[in-house]
Amino acid sequence: MTHVAVDLLGGDGAPDAVVNGIDSALGTDESLEVSLVGPSGVAERLLAERRLAVGGRLRLVEAPHLIGPGQDAAREVRSRRDATVRVATRLIRDGVVDAVVSAGPFEALVAAASFTLGPAPGATRPALAVLLGSPSRPTILLDAGAATGASADQLVQYAVVGSAYATVCLDVARPRIGLLVAGPVHRGGPRLDAGRPGVGGPAAGGSGAGGLGAGELLAGLGLDFVGAVDAAGVVAGGQADVVVCDGSIGAVVVSWLQAVAESGDQPPQVQPGWYPQEGAFVVGVDGIVVVAGGRSGSTGSGIARAIAQASVADRSGWVPRQRAALADLVARRRTRAGLSA
Amino acid sequence: MTHVAVDLLGGDGAPDAVVNGIDSALGTDESLEVSLVGPSGVAERLLAERRLAVGGRLRLVEAPHLIGPGQDAAREVRSRRDATVRVATRLIRDGVVDAVVSAGPFEALVAAASFTLGPAPGATRPALAVLLGSPSRPTILLDAGAATGASADQLVQYAVVGSAYATVCLDVARPRIGLLVAGPVHRGGPRLDAGRPGVGGPAAGGSGAGGLGAGELLAGLGLDFVGAVDAAGVVAGGQADVVVCDGSIGAVVVSWLQAVAESGDQPPQVQPGWYPQEGAFVVGVDGIVVVAGGRSGSTGSGIARAIAQASVADRSGWVPRQRAALADLVARRRTRAGLSA
């Protein structure tokens, strides 16, 4: 069984869409258990309306407070023990559930996960991994905006955990990793930011350990590192399975593609071409944490897909997989520091 | 008459596409003159093949050297007096032509324009203005990648000249100006980078004159400043006619939208929805300079449209318009410095 805690209050469609999503997910997946985290009164009313019984594979966990959108989400997380994201991540920490899903502000969820679960051993910051592209050929982009100003070492972390995540959710044995550079306005021109720290081409990026750029560090890790990639190469050429960039850039890419995809009359699920798929996966924290963001976060089907994404991660053994992927980085750091590996 | 110098050698389709574009432009617009800037031998052969006669509205200007894509384009511009972009911009400076069009690397063209024409009085750096969106409702985005690390004062410059450009090419009497922030991955969440210099929400942006952010500076300028906008607001809501951002962000937006638009089987001209339209307009230099970039830069029709864009700018009196738009900024700076306005 996979047991997922779901935030009842997060997202534009909450609480109704959340309960609809849980209903659908429980119906589809008989190996799924859900803990619904929110105000019990609200939960009981919604479940009764749908004739859903508590007990068996559906439980209620009391948490009265929603951390809404706002600049202080991360700070508010620390002061509100009764917030849904705090209670939900505590359920992971205490071994009650295997994963958390919330459609609330990603800042609150990432902050709660960092605070309660801590970083995965070897990771120094979390990142958001988002699937871009058509369902038949998706690409993972990270960081989609969890943080800005990544160092070369942190871009390497993103690559390592992004590669591990690609083996889980893209079913690619040996994912190709690319470092994103801003594409030239004139195709064929030079890369705009090849020398800019934190975005970096293979020889650029913030200066990392030993003064090496992210590309140089990556080239020594045994991953399938394809070097610098730009938008055209990724979209038209499928040059990489995993695209790594600073969160300031990733957030821009995702927000514009999402806005364009959602501007049509077709929902993103059936629209051909490139768009961010729902469910940003939080890497770098020591647990399974999924943000059901975008338009999908306000629909029951979007919540159900985010729950499914969390279940896939759990059944593939994401937590030990991520630890194993980062272990090599840890060993290299120890060696550089003169410690035994 | 409007006289446009066109770079024979720039762009993936050069020199054939360039000559085709000129042929088309001259046929469409009887008030157009063109100086074809490139190696005379190549030009004469291509013109002969098309039975185009030199003389009348078509002239040849010798320039043997192309500055191709590469990291050193800007430096190479300074050392190569015989480069097509150097010769072409010199024709503007000497009053021979009214505008320059090149489909070569934008870095080379921007560098040549800055070097030969200098900045427009009041401007401290050039920027690339690009049209995004469907032809029926375009939005101007700048800077699309001419430079990175814009200060609050420079974002204000972009807004001022972008607004002037919108009156020319969008035919909007009082353009609405927005400062771009990275959209939230979860819609409705807080802006990711509201506090980050150079991208800035209305109260953010790099600290400018008197410690004010770009938004505060803009609010005092008498423009129709609508505050911070994000991707969803611009694409779905049409919240602004002109969107201002640092070049590091603008380049990412344009390159991804372009890559997605070009990934379909339809050419961008007929594809519905959002895409960057051809012909980046260089603002902040004291002359009319158009980059025929993207896929369009390699086709005759793209070159013809870039020439038409340059002609529209000339006939609307772009150079004095830009100077007038910037004059208010100059007066404010003088006042702040204790000089008479």
Side-chain angles (χ1 to χ4, degrees):
Chain A
M1 297 296 276
T2 293
H3 192 156
V4 180
V6 182
D7 177 359
L8 175 63
L9 299 180
D12 294 345
D16 289 83
V18 175
V19 176
N20 292 342
I22 290 170
D23 189 8
S24 164
L26 287 171
T28 309
D29 180 355
E30 297 196 345
S31 302
L32 176 70
E33 292 181 318
V34 169
S35 280
L36 184 50
V37 180
S40 307
V42 175
E44 283 162 0
R45 177 178 59 76
L46 291 168
L47 294 175
E49 282 172 15
R50 289 161 182 76
R51 300 172 191 274
L52 289 169
V54 177
R57 297 193 288 127
L58 177 59
R59 303 177 201 178
L60 297 188
V61 178
E62 174 66 24
H65 185 70
L66 169 71
I67 296 178
Q71 304 235 350
D72 292 331
R75 198 176 59 189
E76 207 183 337
V77 159
R78 292 188 166 256
S79 64
R80 296 296 305 236
R81 262 184 73 82
D82 60 349
T84 50
V85 288
R86 281 286 299 277
V87 173
T89 49
R90 213 149 57 219
L91 292 174
I92 296 188
R93 187 200 63 193
D94 295 344
V96 177
V97 304
D98 303 300
V100 166
V101 168
S102 171
F106 75 87
E107 293 89 340
L109 185 58
V110 170
S114 301
F115 184 68
T116 309
L117 306 176
T124 58
R125 59 157 65 180
L128 290 175
V130 170
L131 282 171
L132 298 178
S134 62
S136 61
R137 202 187 66 188
T139 296
I140 293 172
L141 178 140
L142 76 166
D143 172 26
T148 62
S151 66
D153 285 324
Q154 284 163 335
L155 292 174
V156 171
Q157 278 176 40
Y158 298 168
V160 167
V161 294
S163 178
Y165 186 55
T167 63
V168 169
C169 82
L170 299 187
D171 201 22
V172 179
R174 191 167 158 74
R176 294 159 302 153
I177 315 291
L179 271 176
L180 180 65
V181 294
V185 172
H186 170 71
R187 181 183 291 178
R191 267 79 189 238
L192 289 172
D193 53 358
R196 195 152 51 84
V199 181
S207 180
L212 295 175
E216 292 162 290
L217 290 169
L218 274 171
L221 276 183
L223 298 172
D224 188 0
F225 176 53
V226 299
V229 295
D230 63 12
V234 174
V235 174
Q239 286 176 353
D241 301 303
V242 178
V243 173
V244 172
C245 62
D246 185 58
S248 62
I249 302 298
V252 171
V253 172
V254 171
S255 64
W256 281 84
L257 293 185
Q258 192 164 291
V260 170
E262 293 184 0
S263 69
D265 295 321
Q266 299 291 336
Q269 297 89 282
V270 299
Q271 190 166 329
W274 274 69
Y275 54 85
Q277 295 172 41
E278 55 277 320
F281 194 81
V282 183
V283 297
V285 295
D286 206 21
I288 297 169
V289 180
V290 176
V291 184
R295 184 158 70 174
S296 68
S298 59
T299 67
S301 55
I303 298 287
R305 282 190 296 271
I307 293 172
Q309 194 174 359
S311 301
V312 167
D314 177 55
R315 287 160 196 171
S316 72
W318 170 249
V319 174
R321 253 184 212 247
Q322 179 175 237
R323 288 186 181 193
L326 287 163
D328 182 47
L329 274 187
V330 174
R332 284 165 190 267
R333 283 197 205 114
R334 289 181 61 86
T335 304
R336 280 201 303 270
L339 302 167
S340 61
Chain B
M1 298 297 275
T2 293
H3 192 156
V4 180
V6 182
D7 176 0
L8 176 61
L9 299 181
D12 294 344
D16 288 84
V18 174
V19 175
N20 292 342
I22 290 170
D23 190 8
S24 163
L26 286 170
T28 309
D29 179 356
E30 296 195 346
S31 301
L32 175 70
E33 293 181 318
V34 169
S35 280
L36 185 50
V37 180
S40 308
V42 175
E44 283 161 0
R45 176 177 59 76
L46 292 168
L47 295 175
E49 283 172 13
R50 288 161 182 78
R51 301 171 191 276
L52 290 169
V54 177
R57 298 193 286 126
L58 177 59
R59 302 177 201 176
L60 298 188
V61 178
E62 173 67 24
H65 185 69
L66 168 71
I67 296 177
Q71 304 236 350
D72 291 331
R75 199 177 59 189
E76 206 183 338
V77 160
R78 294 188 164 255
S79 64
R80 296 296 304 236
R81 262 183 73 80
D82 61 348
T84 50
V85 289
R86 281 285 299 277
V87 173
T89 49
R90 214 148 58 219
L91 292 174
I92 296 189
R93 187 199 64 192
D94 294 344
V96 177
V97 304
D98 304 300
V100 166
V101 168
S102 171
F106 75 87
E107 292 90 341
L109 185 58
V110 170
S114 302
F115 185 67
T116 309
L117 307 174
T124 58
R125 61 157 65 178
L128 290 176
V130 170
L131 282 170
L132 298 178
S134 62
S136 61
R137 201 184 69 186
T139 297
I140 293 171
L141 179 140
L142 75 168
D143 172 25
T148 62
S151 66
D153 286 324
Q154 285 163 335
L155 292 175
V156 170
Q157 278 176 39
Y158 299 169
V160 167
V161 296
S163 179
Y165 186 56
T167 64
V168 169
C169 84
L170 298 187
D171 201 23
V172 179
R174 192 168 157 70
R176 295 159 301 153
I177 316 291
L179 272 176
L180 180 65
V181 295
V185 172
H186 170 70
R187 180 184 290 179
R191 270 76 190 240
L192 288 174
D193 53 358
R196 195 150 52 85
V199 180
S207 181
L212 296 175
E216 291 162 292
L217 291 169
L218 273 171
L221 276 183
L223 297 172
D224 188 1
F225 176 54
V226 300
V229 296
D230 63 13
V234 174
V235 174
Q239 286 176 353
D241 301 303
V242 179
V243 173
V244 172
C245 62
D246 184 58
S248 62
I249 302 298
V252 170
V253 172
V254 171
S255 64
W256 279 85
L257 293 185
Q258 192 164 290
V260 170
E262 294 184 357
S263 69
D265 295 322
Q266 299 292 334
Q269 298 89 282
V270 299
Q271 189 166 333
W274 275 69
Y275 53 87
Q277 296 172 40
E278 56 277 320
F281 194 80
V282 183
V283 298
V285 295
D286 206 22
I288 297 169
V289 181
V290 177
V291 183
R295 184 158 68 173
S296 68
S298 59
T299 66
S301 55
I303 298 287
R305 282 191 296 272
I307 293 172
Q309 194 174 0
S311 301
V312 167
D314 178 54
R315 287 159 195 171
S316 71
W318 169 249
V319 174
R321 254 184 211 247
Q322 180 174 236
R323 288 186 182 192
L326 287 164
D328 182 48
L329 273 187
V330 174
R332 285 167 189 265
R333 281 196 206 116
R334 289 181 61 86
T335 304
R336 278 202 305 269
L339 302 167
S340 63

